[in-house]
Amino acid sequence: PTILAEADARLGVPWAVVRYGRLCHEFYPEGPQQAEEITEIFSTTKTLGAVVTGIVAWQTRDLPRTGRKTGPLTAEDRVDHWLDEFDFNPDARIGHVLGMVAHNDDLSFGAKRFQYDWDGSVQINRLNDVINTVVAQDPERFGANVEEVTQRFLFGPLGMRHSRWSNGAPNKIFAYSWASTVRDMARLGLLLVHGGVWSGERILGE
């Protein structure tokens, strides 16, 4: 308790500790009511967007591939399998976009340079369009857009009731615009720590 109190004072921001699946410490400088205050958490959204991309890959894994814009989403897919136009390397794959290296002229091993896509405009925001194209194969099963996918397969199952992504708009900014709470952030963290499994149900592939 003494060390935690020292950390509270030093950090001075909301934070929490989850150990073995239990919330065992949390701190809010403005008092406990702050636990349910939804605030913008900026580039943490990049993790949220990557998780939702992974969820779509897992949920579509059994779809048949019969041509362009069909089949499951995988990291090895060429972006031009899903999109008709984009501004980065025409040979880029989904994994390159996720890794923020799709802008490179040379995508060969050892040649790529990472560029932090702070507002998503270089490449990662196009994952929104990729996902919308993927789920259009069966919107009744997957949802009609990124918002519906996120609510159905992530926010709902994990009980993330205090999370809003791009204010609930159907299209998302993948670089920022997730507003949430410490507890909802912890839920997403636990999903990752447990390799994509939540309460015994696999949400996305490990």
Side-chain angles (χ1 to χ4, degrees):
T2 301
I3 294 172
L4 289 171
E6 290 175 358
D8 292 344
R10 182 172 298 181
L11 291 172
V13 296
W15 73 292
V17 178
V18 178
R19 187 166 171 81
Y20 300 119
R22 294 187 179 275
L23 179 64
C24 59
H25 177 79
E26 57 185 339
F27 171 74
Y28 299 96
E30 298 175 14
Q33 76 282 354
Q34 197 176 6
E36 295 190 357
E37 287 183 8
I38 299 173
T39 58
E40 167 69 50
I41 51 178
F42 303 103
S43 280
T44 309
T45 311
K46 294 176 173 68
T47 299
L48 173 69
V51 168
V52 171
T53 303
I55 287 171
V56 172
W58 176 255
Q59 294 297 332
T60 61
R61 66 193 184 279
D62 61 350
L63 291 180
R65 180 158 289 183
T66 57
R68 283 191 73 240
K69 301 184 180 182
T70 66
L73 176 64
T74 77
E76 292 301 315
D77 289 347
R78 289 178 58 98
V79 176
D80 61 9
H81 178 76
W82 298 109
L83 300 182
D84 294 325
E85 53 81 23
F86 47 92
D87 295 331
F88 42 85
N89 192 312
D91 293 321
R93 299 179 183 271
I94 299 298
H96 293 132
V97 178
L98 284 164
M100 301 185 213
V101 296
H103 60 278
N104 284 274
D105 292 332
D106 186 351
L107 295 172
S108 62
F109 183 78
K112 298 181 293 294
R113 287 186 175 273
F114 171 77
Q115 176 183 326
Y116 188 69
D117 195 3
W118 72 273
D119 67 349
S121 62
V122 176
Q123 54 202 284
I124 61 172
N125 286 341
R126 296 309 307 274
L127 291 169
N128 176 87
D129 307 316
V130 170
I131 290 173
N132 285 343
T133 303
V134 175
V135 300
Q137 296 174 87
D138 192 344
E140 184 174 346
R141 175 180 171 188
F142 304 118
N145 49 57
V146 180
E147 170 67 12
E148 291 187 13
V149 169
T150 303
Q151 292 291 344
R152 185 175 300 183
F153 296 104
L154 183 63
F155 288 174
L158 271 62
M160 295 172 67
R161 292 182 294 275
H162 295 94
S163 284
R164 307 286 183 272
W165 187 8
S166 296
N167 289 320
N171 293 308
K172 306 299 180 188
I173 300 170
F174 271 60
Y176 60 93
S177 74
W178 180 22
S180 191
T181 63
V182 169
R183 293 178 184 178
D184 272 11
M185 292 176 72
R187 288 180 170 91
L188 186 67
L190 282 170
L191 176 67
L192 298 178
V193 166
H194 292 286
V197 173
W198 183 267
S199 295
E201 177 186 357
R202 179 157 293 287
I203 302 294
L204 73 160
E206 186 173 10

